[in-house]
Amino acid sequence: MFRTILFAGILLIASPAIAEEQPTGDRVEVNGMQMYYEVSGQGDPLIVLHGAYMNIPTMGEIIPKLAETHKVYALELQGHGRTTDIDRPITYPNLADDVAAFMDAVGLEQADVFGYSMGAAVGLQLAIRHPEKVDQLIAASVAYDKEGWQPAFRQFIPQMTVEMFLDMPFAEDYRELAPDPEGFPALVEKLIALEHEPMAWEEDVKALDTPVLIITGDADVNTLEHAVAMFRLLGGGGMGDMGEPLPESRLAVMPATSHTAVIGQPDLLHAFIEPFLKGETPKGMFE
């Protein structure tokens, strides 16, 4: 999530890949908005959710890589990309309910979900609020509590203003895709408000039955300690090789990786995601 001014670097490191088959774009009415989405690939369904200020193209090459083995549904969330905005705050529960409504609209009973940053928090809320719809969740650069953000980011939140975002690279990107090219300031205002929303989901995360792959950069916007705490809430962090099966949830740390550099490493992301979705684990010497 985490997001905001950090995403100035996204457009410099993530560029859309040319896939063998061009994705199919469409729109569907979801909770009063026209939601844009693209479908690519074949296989088990996998929903991809972008970060704040982002869109499908700025998710970069990870989407076509995932589409090599999955039927990928890449969504653009409220007010982002080609999806219209509506007179409603942007909150994680609202966005999660939008994804659930999207699934109903296109006839998806259940899917795996990969979310990055804001999209990871949306995926987490989707698993909390609509657990029957999420088979497995990949959450990259996420927190379940505001205390999980780096102190520098928490200190920056009160200083955020709409004006400081108007000349960012993603502002021009917004104007090229948005149904209302002049709507960027209103989107920024909602996303700043999102940073001030209460966020304390520990008990909800602990109660999840959904397997979760947590991915974090070692210099991400969430602290490493918070990623480990989340992994422990999901049953991870114990010793293997003791005769007990490993937990279904997993933790992956990307080295020398800041928040905006996470999405710019599609090969490494894919190397983490694909074995998780297949249920593959490295074999120990006692197996």
Side-chain angles (χ1 to χ4, degrees), residues 111-283:
D112 297 320
V113 177
F114 166 51
Y116 165 64
S117 194
M118 180 184 77
V122 175
L124 196 56
Q125 275 295 311
L126 181 67
I128 290 167
R129 298 170 67 82
H130 306 276
E132 74 287 352
K133 292 186 177 295
V134 183
D135 188 9
Q136 300 173 99
L137 172 64
I138 304 104
S141 302
V142 73
Y144 60 85
D145 192 290
K146 279 187 174 294
E147 296 303 309
W149 301 130
Q150 295 277 8
F153 183 71
R154 286 189 275 123
Q155 292 166 12
F156 176 65
I157 291 173
Q159 304 172 38
M160 292 178 181
T161 65
V162 171
E163 289 70 26
M164 69 173 55
F165 292 94
L166 297 183
D167 293 324
M168 293 287 179
F170 44 74
E172 182 59 34
D173 185 60
Y174 172 92
R175 286 187 283 270
E176 291 178 2
L177 293 180
D180 176 11
E182 303 305 316
F184 186 68
L187 175 65
V188 175
E189 188 173 357
K190 290 182 179 183
L191 291 175
I192 291 175
L194 176 65
E195 301 293 358
H196 294 271
E197 284 287 313
M199 193 181 188
W201 309 336
E202 179 174 338
E203 291 305 313
D204 293 324
V205 170
K206 189 175 182 179
L208 282 176
D209 290 326
T210 306
V212 182
L213 168 60
I214 305 159
I215 300 176
T216 185
D218 62 1
D220 215 319
V221 68
N222 56 286
T223 66
L224 283 171
E225 293 82 0
H226 189 72
V228 172
M230 183 174 175
F231 186 44
R232 292 190 183 281
L233 287 176
L234 294 164
M239 181 178 176
D241 294 329
M242 300 301 290
E244 296 294 328
L246 295 174
E248 292 186 291
S249 292
R250 305 181 187 184
L251 171 64
V253 179
M254 303 174 74
T257 298
S258 68
H259 181 61
T260 57
V262 168
I263 204 64
Q265 300 179 74
D267 291 337
L268 185 54
L269 281 174
H270 191 258
F272 291 144
I273 293 171
E274 197 64 22
F276 169 71
L277 292 178
K278 291 180 177 178
E280 297 174 350
T281 58
K283 298 302 180 185

Side-chain angles (χ1 to χ4, degrees), residues 11 16 23-39 46-60 63 72-86 88 90 94-103 106 113-116 118-119 122 170 173-180 187 191:
L11 298 183
T24 301
D26 202 353
R27 289 177 172 81
V28 64
E29 184 172 348
V30 171
N31 293 335
M33 74 186 77
Q34 289 295 315
M35 177 175 280
Y36 179 82
Y37 68 100
E38 292 181 355
V39 182
L46 172 61
I47 292 173
V48 173
L49 304 173
H50 59 76
Y53 301 100
M54 293 178 68
N55 48 51
I56 294 170
T58 53
M59 285 294 283
I63 291 177
V72 173
Y73 294 79
L75 277 57
E76 291 182 338
L77 299 168
Q78 177 187 341
H80 288 76
R82 287 145 286 198
T83 295
T84 57
D85 200 359
I86 54 175
R88 185 192 70 173
I90 291 178
N94 281 348
L95 296 178
D97 290 348
D98 291 342
V99 178
F102 166 82
M103 294 177 70
V106 300
V113 177
F114 166 51
Y116 165 64
M118 180 184 77
V122 175
F170 44 74
D173 185 60
Y174 172 92
R175 286 187 283 270
E176 291 178 2
L177 293 180
D180 176 11
L187 175 65
L191 291 175

